[in-house]
Amino acid sequence: MMPADSVLADFMSGLDPNISMLLYGLALTNLNEAIMKVKMIEMGQKNALRAIQINAKMMQLETKNQIFQQQLA
């Protein structure tokens, strides 16, 4: 059996560096807590990416709309 601290450290060392950097500040106490936090971070990143994609699409549509308005004028 490995000590819980070693298991947690091994888990965190195998993560994406961006995620592990966010986890280090959370003072995790066990592997289950770390896994739950990673899932929450990943969900947040997916939601943020979706929001960025939607905003980019909205900007494209606004630009096209402005061009069409100028062509109509």
Side-chain angles (χ1 to χ4, degrees), residues 35-52:
I35 291 170
M36 286 184 0
K37 299 288 182 178
V38 168
K39 288 179 181 180
M40 291 171 61
I41 290 170
E42 287 175 339
M43 284 176 46
Q45 287 178 335
K46 286 179 187 175
N47 290 339
L49 179 60
R50 262 189 244 129
I52 290 169

Side-chain angles (χ1 to χ4, degrees), residues 1-68:
M1 286 289 281
M2 288 178 63
D5 290 346
S6 294
V7 172
L8 185 57
D10 285 347
F11 173 74
M12 290 178 65
S13 70
L15 295 173
D16 176 279
N18 296 317
I19 292 175
S20 63
M21 189 170 61
L22 293 170
L23 282 179
Y24 281 120
L26 298 178
L28 302 170
T29 58
N30 62 54
L31 183 60
N32 288 334
E33 182 183 13
I35 291 170
M36 286 184 0
K37 299 288 182 178
V38 168
K39 288 179 181 180
M40 291 171 61
I41 290 170
E42 287 175 339
M43 284 176 46
Q45 287 178 335
K46 286 179 187 175
N47 290 339
L49 179 60
R50 262 189 244 129
I52 290 169
Q53 290 171 336
I54 289 169
N55 287 339
K57 187 64 175 176
M58 289 295 293
M59 296 218 18
Q60 283 179 333
L61 292 173
E62 287 174 2
T63 301
K64 286 182 180 180
N65 186 35
Q66 288 174 353
I67 292 169
F68 291 144

